[in-house]
Amino acid sequence: MSLFELKDVSYQYAAATRPALDRITLNVEEGALFAVLGPNGSGKSTLLRVMLGELETSAGSVTYAGRSSASWGRREIATQIAFVPQAEPMAFPMTVRALVEMGRYPHTGILGRMGADDRIAVDGAMERAGIADLGSRSIRNLSGGERQRVRIARALAQEPRILVLDEPTAALDLHFEMETFELMRELTEERSFTVVVATHNLNLAARYASRLALLARGHIEAIGAPEDVITADKIGRVYRWPVLVTSLEEQGSGVESPQVVPLSGGAASALS
Ligand code: ADP
Ligand code: MG
């Protein structure tokens, strides 16, 4: 079943001279790990916000679970979809646990009391995100990577069906980047979550995602399985840099994923 269906969706910011999204048509199936790729400014964040119903499209239709996304109430949608935005100010001095508890608002209401279920959800979310021992720390004194995991925990505490993440691994070292991709895979494969993730890590997207959409200047340049999207021609063209695409077999699995190696020196200068 398609959870998200976008048909001919365009979006233009008030101040902009060209659309940030230009006639996007795509479906996200339930249980998919769907990766949104594309250079800076290609429309990834805008696409996620349109899917979440945060931005109203200027043309086309967006449906979530068969219903127009605009017809979902904010709190109703928050029980279904959790969003981890690219960056957010964390100015208030509060503990990690208090921030993760905010993920329960759609269930408890803003002034609602935390019940036993809520506490279990918060504990479980902190465990999964690998921050169980950070609960009493102030969110102001965390490293970039810790902060990012706290935000993922807050989203999991929401107990959604769908997790939408905007460049969740941008601040993470190799270990936590891998853990984040492993977590996204586990959520989709073992817990029938649907995950939509915007990322610049083409190689991990190719290994972990079931479907990829490659954006370029607001339109879809390619969409499909990793081997259909991650080609030297498409990646080289969209990112304006020559690349080699090799293939990596996951140990003993027989599954091969395309992997991008950007070229340097002479090969790169031949570009201009
Ligand atoms: P990405 O996430 O792929 O980097 P964005 O969706 O943030 O891309 O941006 C797509 C395009 O929309 C870019 O050209 C960007 O400059 C423009 N844009 C983004 N936010 C705004 C805004 N609030 N007002 C005007 N233009 C914007
Ligand atoms: Mg972005």
Side-chain angles (χ1 to χ4, degrees):
M1 188 188 92
S2 285
L3 274 186
F4 287 106
E5 283 189 37
L6 279 68
K7 286 209 184 80
D8 270 332
V9 167
S10 295
Y11 183 84
Q12 183 154 349
Y13 289 100
T17 51
R18 65 178 183 87
L21 296 179
D22 187 11
R23 286 164 292 160
I24 300 275
T25 295
L26 62 82
N27 290 347
V28 178
E29 298 293 313
E30 185 161 22
L33 204 179
F34 189 97
V36 179
L37 311 176
N40 296 128
S42 58
K44 300 180 298 298
S45 298
T46 306
L47 175 63
L48 299 187
R49 290 188 180 275
V50 160
M51 291 169 85
L52 293 162
E54 277 187 19
L55 299 177
E56 216 174 301
T57 59
S58 30
S61 69
V62 181
T63 59
Y64 168 66
R67 259 170 66 190
S68 148
S69 74
S71 77
W72 287 82
R74 298 305 314 163
R75 188 163 155 192
E76 186 186 22
I77 203 89
T79 62
Q80 307 270 317
I81 309 178
F83 181 41
V84 181
Q86 199 160 354
E88 63 191 294
M90 287 210 169
F92 289 105
M94 62 162 74
T95 65
V96 164
R97 189 173 178 96
L99 187 86
V100 176
E101 285 177 353
M102 288 172 68
R104 296 304 295 166
Y105 284 171
H107 301 277
T108 62
I110 207 101
L111 297 172
R113 288 175 56 87
M114 295 275 297
D117 286 357
D118 300 308
R119 279 190 290 274
I120 290 169
V122 167
D123 289 341
M126 290 178 64
E127 191 69 44
R128 287 192 155 255
I131 55 158
D133 55 343
L134 296 184
S136 57
R137 290 268 300 274
S138 164
I139 57 169
R140 285 167 124 181
N141 310 328
L142 300 175
S143 73
E146 288 167 338
R147 187 168 303 166
Q148 187 63 346
R149 282 180 286 137
V150 169
R151 298 162 72 229
I152 291 173
R154 181 184 55 193
L156 293 175
Q158 217 171 309
E159 295 188 311
R161 294 168 70 193
I162 299 183
L163 201 52
V164 177
L165 308 106
D166 198 350
E167 296 188 30
T169 66
L172 301 185
D173 67 25
L174 181 147
H175 178 94
F176 289 115
E177 177 160 56
M178 289 306 289
E179 283 208 334
T180 303
F181 274 88
E182 289 281 332
L183 174 64
M184 293 190 285
R185 169 185 280 167
E186 183 190 310
L187 290 171
T188 53
E189 289 186 354
E190 288 160 31
R191 310 190 124 214
S192 64
F193 266 60
T194 305
V195 173
V196 179
V197 58
T199 180
H200 284 305
N201 197 322
L202 306 178
N203 289 340
L204 291 183
R207 288 167 68 185
Y208 285 84
S210 46
R211 253 170 94 72
L212 313 176
L214 175 63
L215 297 185
R217 296 171 61 86
H219 70 266
I220 292 185
E221 186 74 18
I223 189 164
E227 59 272 24
D228 299 325
V229 174
I230 307 287
T231 66
D233 173 55
K234 286 173 183 146
I235 296 298
R237 184 152 32 87
V238 167
Y239 286 91
R240 299 181 297 117
W241 198 267
V243 302
L244 188 76
V245 171
T246 62
S247 130
L248 175 77
E249 187 195 328
E250 297 291 342
Q251 230 171 3
S253 71
V255 178
E256 297 207 352
S257 308
Q259 295 287 289
V260 176
V261 181
L263 298 174
S264 63
S269 59
L271 182 77
S272 48

